[in-house]
Amino acid sequence: MDFSRYEKFRTLVRASFPDHTAQLVDEALEWADKHLADQLRYDGTPMLDHAVAVAAIVISEIGLGRNSAIASILHDVVRLAHKQLPGEEFLALTDGIRTRFGEEVAGITVGLANISALKLKTSKEQADNFRDLIVSYSEDPRVILIKLADRLEVMRSLDIFPREKWRKKSWESLNLYAQIAHKLGLYGIKSELEDIALKYLEPKDYEHIVQKLEESADERRAFIARFLVPVEERLKKLGIRYHIKSRTKSIFSIWTKMHKQHVPFEGVYDIFALRIIIDCPREEEKQQCWTAYSVVTDFYTPNPKRMRDWISIPKSNGYESLHTTVSAEGRWVEVQIRTERMDAVAERGIAAHWRYKGVNQGAQTSEMWLSRLRELMEDTPHSLAKRFDAKPASGEIFVFTPNGDLRKLPEGATLLDFAFDIHTSLGATCVSGKVNNRAASIRDVLHNGDIVEIQTQKNQTPKADWLSVVVTSKARNKIKSFLREEQAKHTRMGREELERKLKNWKLGLSIDEAVAYLGKYFKLRLGTEVYALIATQKVDFGSIKEILARHLSGQAEEERRAAAAEAERQKAYAPRETPASQDALVIDDDISKIQYKLARCCNPIKGDEVFGFVTINAGVTIHRADCPNAKRMRENYPYRVIEARWRSAADGAFRVTIRIVAADLTGMANRITETISRDLKLNIRSMNFETASGGCVAGTVAVEVPGTGVVDTLIHSILRIKGVQRAYRVN
């Protein structure tokens, strides 16, 4: 490659780092140049120009070290690969970076690629959430600092971008990145991002303020010179070593003040500030700063309301300075007093705490300021984990709607919680959805950064078991409210219908007595449940009339006792019926006139030992003998249990769900699907895996099988896949 194009940058590197680091940076330049050979910026210059400019900001304006500089050079390669390459090729690329430039460099570049992949939406209501989400993507705090440098370079070059990108990038810089820079104490970067953003968002206002500053520059300089004469004379007499900077208020700050206070440019009194910067040993800092303060206030009257002491108690981001506003020649002047060390911190943020005395102090020193930087990040209003996929520190996650809106939910929230968070009607009619474009059930737990889409059906209504699915109080309250309304409606309808029927039947039975007996008969605790049974037509009135008539005649109790005694006698003494018994219900027998369906609770398949259970309104339900509900059914309703067997010649497709726990290896999902589909020639109906603890993935695969004989083969084949630790049938 042509190193001469980047000679200025290489000179900066050689001045900042030892020779072996400079050599590694040259290697990174060559590597990036090879991978970005065909990539150009909007003005036709090489894409590598941007990466090198970012690295220069990282070194000279933020003060980061070798790994950050190298990661900056490589970040565009990883960003483009993240967007364009298949998963395995992307992992191979990052492995190459890890081998050649180290684990830290690889980690930083992937973190930057994750942030670049975010689709930020320009909305003031979303700004806080997006700022926190950007922080949450940062596995290493340096990721944020390099991202700020990246954004600063983009804003400095915004003219080369298409005009339609100006407003969006300026909005993001103002509302997201400048705010993060402020939090980290990078005031220089914050102010520059704000000023450039204003230039593109409000060009007329920006030009007006620039013009006014230029017009008043000579007068301002003359005033400052007069103001400083007595102060400098006294400081020299006291033997204090210092220098003075005059800092004009940022254009954005002036513009903000003009709008907030509704005043013209001339009405903003603190257009500039004077900074007295003292050079002294660390142990004398406080004393000399207060001495300088007393010198200034000896000559000029201070405004007690404008006094700020951040030397005794520094700001959380490390900022230290003594601020006072004094009156001179009928105008207010802000004076900032600080030491060289404090000024470095104010300019470079927290990094300057540890890198102030020199750039090469070793890994231990770097870790100290990185640790402090992590603390600052965790001070954000909604603190998130440093790792994107780790447990959020505050128990919160941030998820997207398909059009880019961001919603904040508690950790553990499900797809159903998300639906209710968007809108009550969306939650009430939710049947399923998509998470990151993959099918998901209402029970699926969401994770930080997921893109979630809800699917609804008009006839869907909230169910009681939804209360075990949701974790947010909003969703729980809405579901409970709906269930209460439904219960009240069913109670009213069921009672009215039963009252009307009792009058027509003329059984001489009060409604309370009828409901009490029906509740006992159907094993229901509450009268409202009986009314709901009637209102939802789960039991017909012909059956109710027969039940009540038998109750009044006294037959019901005798029949129940006889049936229970017979069932117990058969269970204790009778030999078990063979599958060939002619009295058993033959499943899948076309001659059979009995309606039946397979129970969802245990999902029986051909070959399972089964029994039938006579339901009130849905014919016979087939359950596995080891079904979790089998014991309750046999004990409470022995007279409704019938023997059942499979027709030997039956063929068909049954769904079986296999739970799999495996090591989190590249291509594991492909190996599982190949084994099931290609080797065993079985159809996969659904597949859902997620990260588990201990470097594993866990999930379920629903497969169509002709019967139980295939299930053992299926499980055995899955267990033979390298990396699979457990595989077993769920239902």
Side-chain angles (χ1 to χ4, degrees):
M1 69 170 290
D2 180 15
F3 278 120
S4 62
R5 184 178 184 89
Y6 305 115
E7 195 53 44
K8 185 179 176 184
F9 170 69
R10 294 176 71 228
T11 302
L12 170 66
V13 170
R14 287 192 293 270
S16 306
F17 303 112
D19 290 344
H20 68 273
T21 296
Q23 189 177 341
L24 204 58
V25 168
D26 281 348
E27 278 186 42
L29 285 170
E30 284 189 294
W31 196 87
D33 182 60
K34 184 177 76 174
H35 284 79
L36 295 172
D38 302 325
Q39 301 292 333
L40 300 175
R41 302 193 82 183
Y42 288 103
D43 62 349
T45 57
M47 179 67 77
L48 187 55
D49 284 9
H50 163 69
V52 169
V54 171
I57 294 170
V58 161
I59 296 167
S60 60
E61 297 182 50
I62 300 180
L64 295 179
R66 180 190 71 188
N67 288 334
S68 301
I70 293 171
S72 302
I73 293 167
L74 304 179
H75 83 275
D76 274 329
V77 177
V78 179
R79 175 179 62 84
L80 293 169
H82 188 266
K83 189 190 297 184
Q84 297 165 359
L85 294 182
E88 289 191 10
E89 289 182 38
F90 176 72
L91 287 174
L93 180 102
T94 53
D95 283 344
I97 293 174
R98 190 174 287 107
T99 303
R100 193 163 182 180
F101 302 106
E103 182 69 44
E104 288 189 23
V105 171
I108 292 169
T109 56
V110 171
L112 288 164
N114 281 334
I115 294 176
S116 296
L118 282 176
K119 291 190 167 38
L120 305 181
K121 199 171 185 192
T122 51
S123 154
K124 284 195 185 300
E125 295 77 24
Q126 302 287 336
D128 284 342
N129 287 346
F130 274 120
R131 279 198 295 273
D132 292 342
L133 187 62
I134 289 166
V135 170
S136 80
Y137 269 81
S138 303
E139 184 175 336
D140 185 316
R142 287 170 290 193
V143 171
I144 296 180
L145 297 175
I146 298 169
K147 185 61 191 174
L148 289 174
D150 174 82
R151 177 46 61 116
L152 181 58
E153 199 286 328
V154 165
M155 292 305 288
R156 286 173 177 174
S157 314
L158 201 53
D159 266 341
I160 73 170
F161 284 74
R163 186 175 288 271
E164 62 268 18
K165 289 183 177 282
W166 289 2
R167 177 162 287 274
K168 185 172 188 295
K169 290 200 177 291
S170 296
W171 187 94
E172 289 171 4
S173 297
L174 194 62
N175 291 282
L176 305 177
Y177 295 106
Q179 303 302 316
I180 294 171
H182 177 78
K183 186 72 186 174
L184 300 178
L186 296 164
Y187 295 115
I189 290 177
K190 168 191 178 285
S191 295
E192 190 174 352
L193 285 173
E194 288 174 337
D195 283 358
I196 300 173
L198 185 67
K199 177 182 175 182
Y200 288 93
L201 292 171
E202 302 289 346
K204 288 183 181 176
D205 289 1
Y206 178 87
E207 289 302 328
H208 170 72
I209 295 170
V210 168
Q211 185 184 344
K212 286 288 186 182
L213 284 171
E214 287 174 357
E215 288 173 2
S216 58
D218 289 342
E219 184 273 329
R220 212 163 45 245
R221 279 193 288 269
F223 171 79
I224 290 168
R226 294 194 301 274
F227 178 90
L228 287 175
V229 168
V231 174
E232 291 200 84
E233 190 178 323
R234 179 71 63 82
L235 289 173
K236 284 171 186 171
K237 274 185 184 177
L238 291 168
I240 293 175
R241 290 192 301 168
Y242 71 95
H243 71 277
I244 291 177
K245 286 183 190 174
S246 73
R247 178 194 63 82
T248 305
K249 199 176 187 71
S250 76
I251 296 168
F252 180 77
S253 296
I254 295 170
W255 179 83
T256 303
K257 192 151 280 192
M258 287 167 63
H259 277 258
K260 277 187 180 175
Q261 298 178 357
H262 304 289
V263 295
F265 176 86
E266 291 74 16
V268 181
Y269 66 81
D270 53 349
I271 291 290
F272 67 93
L274 291 172
R275 195 172 288 163
I276 300 172
I277 300 167
I278 298 166
D279 185 8
C280 69
R282 183 78 181 254
E283 61 273 12
E284 295 179 22
E285 284 185 342
K286 191 179 287 190
Q287 177 198 332
Q288 291 208 20
C289 285
W290 281 108
T291 300
Y293 171 80
S294 67
V295 168
V296 173
T297 53
D298 278 348
F299 294 106
Y300 303 105
T301 306
N303 181 342
K305 293 180 182 176
R306 303 279 296 170
M307 169 70 189
R308 299 288 183 272
D309 175 13
W310 285 304
I311 289 179
S312 301
I313 304 174
K315 285 187 178 183
S316 63
N317 57 22
Y319 181 84
E320 295 173 85
S321 194
L322 203 55
H323 290 198
T324 185
T325 302
V326 296
S327 175
E329 297 182 16
R331 66 199 288 180
W332 292 109
V333 181
E334 184 181 353
V335 180
Q336 300 173 358
I337 301 163
R338 59 178 68 154
T339 64
E340 295 279 5
R341 181 190 64 81
M342 295 173 189
D343 193 52
V345 172
E347 293 298 320
R348 286 188 171 181
I350 194 66
H353 267 314
W354 313 109
R355 305 191 71 88
Y356 171 63
K357 293 296 181 183
V359 292
N360 300 308
Q361 294 188 9
Q364 189 176 2
T365 310
S366 296
E367 186 52 42
M368 288 171 71
W369 71 259
L370 275 176
S371 173
R372 179 74 183 104
L373 190 49
R374 285 190 183 98
E375 289 173 25
L376 280 176
M377 283 165 47
E378 289 171 0
D379 277 344
T380 51
H382 307 294
S383 171
L384 294 172
K386 290 184 287 297
R387 279 188 65 89
F388 168 63
D389 57 353
K391 183 179 178 182
S394 64
E396 291 175 343
I397 60 169
F398 295 86
V399 292
F400 293 94
T401 64
N403 65 351
D405 282 324
L406 198 61
R407 313 296 292 199
K408 182 172 64 180
L409 294 168
E411 181 195 4
T414 60
L415 187 126
L416 191 57
D417 282 303
F418 176 85
F420 274 104
D421 190 65
I422 298 292
H423 198 277
T424 301
S425 63
L426 198 68
T429 56
C430 175
V431 289
S432 62
K434 290 184 178 180
V435 176
N436 301 326
N437 225 20
R438 293 177 64 182
S441 77
I442 61 171
R443 296 175 180 273
D444 283 9
V445 175
L446 303 178
H447 299 93
N448 203 26
D450 281 346
I451 300 169
V452 187
E453 185 179 343
I454 299 300
Q455 293 171 341
T456 60
Q457 283 182 3
K458 286 182 181 177
N459 60 352
Q460 175 70 298
T461 56
K463 308 289 187 290
D465 66 345
W466 282 16
L467 292 170
S468 65
V469 175
V470 297
V471 299
T472 58
S473 56
K474 178 179 179 180
R476 292 184 68 80
N477 291 339
K478 294 295 181 185
I479 294 167
K480 284 179 179 177
S481 174
F482 180 87
L483 293 174
R484 280 194 298 269
E485 287 175 17
E486 283 294 291
Q487 188 182 50
K489 186 171 75 175
H490 289 156
T491 300
R492 188 177 64 254
M493 287 171 56
R495 186 178 178 91
E496 286 173 359
E497 287 187 37
L498 186 58
E499 278 182 325
R500 193 164 54 250
K501 290 293 182 185
L502 287 174
K503 281 181 184 176
N504 292 341
W505 294 335
K506 298 177 181 176
L507 292 176
L509 196 68
S510 72
I511 188 164
D512 291 336
E513 188 182 346
V515 169
Y517 180 71
L518 289 170
K520 184 179 174 186
Y521 181 87
F522 290 118
K523 294 282 194 290
L524 301 173
R525 288 190 306 111
L526 302 172
T528 53
E529 293 176 290
V530 175
Y531 295 137
L533 208 63
I534 295 168
T536 55
Q537 299 179 346
K538 288 183 178 174
V539 59
D540 62 86
F541 278 110
S543 300
I544 289 176
K545 184 178 181 181
E546 185 185 335
I547 291 164
L548 293 176
R550 286 164 64 211
H551 163 62
L552 287 171
S553 68
Q555 291 177 21
E557 291 304 311
E558 281 181 35
E559 288 177 8
R560 176 167 296 208
R561 279 195 298 273
E566 177 63 18
E568 286 302 312
R569 189 185 66 77
Q570 288 182 1
K571 195 190 295 184
Y573 302 111
R576 193 175 179 127
E577 277 197 284
T578 64
S581 168
Q582 293 305 305
D583 293 334
L585 169 63
V586 180
I587 305 168
D588 206 23
D589 189 340
D590 294 335
I591 300 169
S592 172
K593 302 298 180 190
I594 301 174
Q595 269 195 331
Y596 66 86
K597 66 178 182 179
L598 303 179
R600 288 186 179 180
C601 54
C602 56
N603 191 32
I605 64 176
K606 186 192 172 189
D608 284 332
E609 199 173 318
V610 292
F611 68 90
F613 184 76
V614 182
T615 63
I616 292 170
N617 65 334
V620 178
T621 306
I622 305 301
H623 294 261
R624 276 163 46 189
D626 59 354
C627 172
N629 297 317
K631 186 180 178 186
R632 180 179 60 82
M633 291 172 178
R634 288 186 181 279
E635 287 178 356
N636 294 346
Y637 309 100
Y639 49 90
R640 289 162 68 180
V641 173
I642 62 172
E643 295 300 318
R645 62 180 172 83
W646 299 97
R647 181 160 63 96
S648 56
D651 55 3
F654 301 94
R655 184 176 295 197
V656 64
T657 304
I658 307 297
R659 176 82 176 168
I660 301 171
V661 178
D664 192 358
L665 301 175
T666 305
M668 177 58 73
N670 285 339
R671 289 198 283 275
I672 293 170
T673 53
E674 282 179 4
T675 298
I676 298 170
S677 302
R678 188 188 66 193
D679 300 347
L680 298 176
K681 303 292 190 293
L682 298 173
N683 289 329
I684 297 175
R685 306 305 299 172
S686 68
M687 191 169 181
N688 185 22
F689 279 85
E690 59 186 31
T691 304
S693 58
C696 293
V697 291
T700 55
V701 182
V703 184
E704 278 188 358
V705 296
T708 51
V710 178
V711 177
D712 290 340
T713 307
L714 171 63
I715 291 173
H716 180 68
S717 299
I718 292 171
L719 284 169
R720 289 179 63 186
I721 298 169
K722 187 179 178 182
V724 172
Q725 297 170 4
R726 282 185 291 157
Y728 53 92
R729 180 180 171 187
V730 179
N731 60 39

